[in-house]
Amino acid sequence: MQKLHAGIHHFQANYFASNRDLFAQLATAGQQPETLFVTCCDSRVVPNLITNAAPGELFIVRNVGNIVPSMSRGVIGGVSAAIEYAVEALQVGNIIVCGHTNCGAIEAILNPAGVAHLPFVSRWLAESERIPSLIQERYGDLDPEARRLAAVEENVLLQLENLRSFEFVARRLAEGTLKMNGWVFKIASGEVFDYDPVSEQFLKLVANDEERPPLSARDVVAR
Ligand SMILES: [Zn+2]
């Protein structure tokens, strides 16, 4: 805890001191983030760090396994509220669902027995309960590590699908005023991969990579 206190002092003396105008403006004008960023609670995934985003740029929802509960499952909660607020009130133009390698939630989704003693975790991860059979069916031939990566990727795509189950998300996608992307952050390399609906692959994001179209409504459903 002492380290965190020292960190606050460091932040105030350095980053804040150098960006006083930004914070003053954010305090008076309010927030206008462009992106809703849905990712895992994992401490190794730091959205603002990996995207170099400033305060006010990312509206972040974090939960175990970067899950978006589907409307069809009738789950009402903090995730749905944050998505509704970001899309309807803040009018974000992008939604990114970012999974990551070495994700404990993915391990648990693939091996639910391992978290049977954690009732809240088990119930939450049941949102992605179709992942194990999907991995077995489509990626059964791959080695365990490749299967785990496929599970991370498929879990991201499942959440994009679930996002479309929200009427206000589907409407904004159809209007063309909202884009969705699925990302995977590789902890060991620092690389970020973005789902490309044309090749149906996660492709490494590089600078000036703006030609590829964002994920459209149809692409997600087509999978
Ligand atoms: Zn995780």
Side-chain angles (χ1 to χ4, degrees):
M1 189 63 94
Q2 204 59 40
K3 195 175 170 195
L4 296 183
H5 291 177
I8 289 170
H9 176 72
H10 183 84
F11 160 72
Q12 291 168 346
N14 293 277
Y15 189 93
F16 186 85
S18 305
N19 293 277
R20 274 180 196 286
D21 293 347
L22 169 64
F23 284 95
Q25 205 243 336
L26 288 171
T28 52
Q31 61 168 333
Q32 291 179 302
E34 283 185 12
T35 300
L36 164 62
F37 197 95
V38 181
T39 194
C40 188
C41 289
D42 195 299
S43 61
R44 299 164 295 179
V45 180
V46 187
N48 289 75
L49 190 65
I50 66 176
T51 61
N52 196 34
E57 290 183 355
L58 299 180
F59 191 81
I60 302 173
V61 177
R62 305 190 71 143
N63 63 63
V64 175
N66 41 269
I67 283 170
V68 175
S70 164
M71 278 294 289
S72 60
R73 290 177 62 104
V75 177
I76 304 293
V79 175
S80 315
I83 293 166
E84 182 180 54
Y85 189 73
V87 173
E88 292 281 74
L90 297 173
Q91 296 279 310
V92 294
N94 308 298
I95 303 178
I96 293 167
V97 176
C98 183
H100 68 99
T101 53
N102 313 101
C103 181
I106 295 296
E107 294 296 327
I109 287 166
L110 293 174
N111 304 294
V115 289
H117 62 296
L118 303 173
F120 293 108
V121 172
S122 295
R123 265 166 55 194
W124 178 249
L125 294 181
E127 288 289 333
S128 290
E129 66 193 358
R130 71 186 229 207
I131 294 288
S133 57
L134 190 152
I135 295 301
Q136 190 53 41
E137 188 184 306
R138 293 190 194 168
Y139 307 94
D141 299 343
L142 301 182
D143 64 60
E145 197 180 330
R147 275 208 302 272
R148 272 197 294 275
L149 177 59
V152 171
E153 295 175 344
E154 289 291 345
N155 185 55
V156 165
L157 297 178
L158 175 59
Q159 310 320 319
L160 293 179
E161 220 175 279
N162 288 348
L163 274 163
R164 286 190 36 75
S165 71
F166 290 88
E167 178 276 325
F168 49 86
V169 170
R171 177 167 34 82
R172 291 274 314 278
L173 286 171
E175 286 170 3
T177 57
L178 182 66
K179 297 170 186 169
M180 292 202 302
N181 286 79
W183 286 5
V184 170
F185 172 60
K186 289 196 176 176
I187 292 175
S189 68
E191 296 166 312
V192 177
F193 293 76
D194 179 32
Y195 181 66
D196 172 28
V198 176
S199 63
E200 299 191 342
Q201 305 272 332
F202 279 77
L203 304 178
K204 186 174 156 183
L205 277 177
V206 292
N208 302 320
D209 184 22
E210 289 176 359
E211 305 89 52
R212 287 198 294 111
L215 211 54
S216 76
R218 213 173 302 115
D219 297 323
V220 178
V221 171
R223 279 182 74 86

